[in-house]
Amino acid sequence: GQQVMQIPQYQHVQEGEDFTTYCNSSTTLSNIQWYKQRPGGHPVFLIQLVKSGEVKKQKRLTFQFGEAKKNSSLHITATQTTDVGTYFCAGGGYIGGAQKLVFGQGTRLTINP
Amino acid sequence: KAGVTQTPRYLIKTRGQQVTLSCSPISGHRSVSWYQQTPGQGLQFLFEYFSETQRNKGNFPGRFSGRQFSNSRSEMNVSTLELGDSALYLCASSFGLAGGGSYNEQFFGPGTRLTVL
């Protein structure tokens, strides 16, 4: 089954509204990465979190890694049309009996201008 | 520094044919992973290679295979193509494991869009 779950699958917001996507793992992760894929493009690395409880910010984007290192979130404040795309989390660690990097299913964000 | 390159960028095949896709990683990267992406779907993991060895494999049938060469370039092959194989195939390169079980940042190529008729 899916080892790294990401919700919601889709999110539509009005420009200016906030947006959050959540990532959950059944096992403790060594690190979590976040990627953004613009429509028609390929995933591009945004950030990596390694420490328990870590919080990092990139302008309007806030990334969190849970205390148990099993969940993470990406929050965008006051969305802009440039934020449109699919956001993927990827958990690294010993998952499903092997050392691997597992991507979540992604959250597709669309924005009404 | 040149990015990850994938060739060809577009490919049209018919059912039953076979196809080979190529991926050239960023210089110095020894890890190459392959993913299948269909419309509305996430990134379905195919396999990961590191220094010519397959380190991980996803849940795809044996028709999907891959290999990595000594210069870290990688190829994936799909035999006996089916309509459902139509997808964007992405490869990603990285330095591999970062220690402590962490993974280094993945650099994705532009992908090969395969259409099976």
Side-chain angles (χ1 to χ4, degrees), chain A residues 9-10 30-31 33 35 37 41-45 48 50 86 88 92-94 98-101 103-106 108, chain B residues 35 37 40-45 48 55-57 88 90 97-98 100-111:
Chain A
Q9 193 173 356
Y10 304 96
S30 296
N31 66 329
Q33 299 173 347
Y35 294 79
Q37 184 176 23
H42 56 273
V44 174
F45 176 82
Q48 174 169 278
V50 179
T86 301
F88 292 97
Y94 197 75
Q99 205 73 40
K100 58 177 76 168
L101 183 70
F103 278 81
Q105 287 297 94
R108 185 180 171 191
Chain B
Y35 297 87
Q37 187 174 42
Q41 297 296 311
L43 299 166
Q44 304 298 314
F45 173 72
E48 177 195 0
R55 194 155 62 179
N56 282 305
K57 188 177 189 303
L88 179 67
L90 293 160
L97 283 170
S102 294
Y103 263 77
N104 278 298
E105 168 186 354
Q106 303 287 302
F107 293 82
F108 283 83

Side-chain angles (χ1 to χ4, degrees), chain B residues 76-94:
Chain B
M76 67 162 280
N77 184 276
V78 188
S79 63
T80 321
L81 284 165
E82 300 177 0
L83 295 178
D85 296 333
S86 294
L88 179 67
Y89 289 87
L90 293 160
C91 85
S93 80
S94 80

Side-chain angles (χ1 to χ4, degrees), chain A residues 39-101:
Chain A
H42 56 273
V44 174
F45 176 82
L46 291 176
I47 207 161
Q48 174 169 278
L49 304 169
V50 179
K51 299 176 184 175
S52 169
E54 190 170 13
V55 178
K56 287 187 176 181
K57 293 190 176 185
Q58 287 180 348
K59 297 182 180 177
R60 295 177 295 105
L61 279 62
T62 301
F63 303 84
Q64 293 187 325
F65 201 8
E67 293 290 341
K69 301 182 74 172
K70 286 187 174 182
N71 56 74
S72 181
S73 65
L74 157 59
H75 179 82
I76 302 178
T77 304
T79 55
Q80 299 176 358
T81 55
T82 53
D83 296 325
V84 164
T86 301
Y87 293 84
F88 292 97
C89 65
Y94 197 75
I95 303 170
Q99 205 73 40
K100 58 177 76 168
L101 183 70

Side-chain angles (χ1 to χ4, degrees), chain B residues 11-17 80-87 114-117:
Chain B
L11 205 50
I12 299 176
K13 292 284 188 180
T14 56
R15 277 182 301 174
Q17 287 187 309
T80 321
L81 284 165
E82 300 177 0
L83 295 178
D85 296 333
S86 294
L114 171 65
T115 302
V116 182
L117 303 175

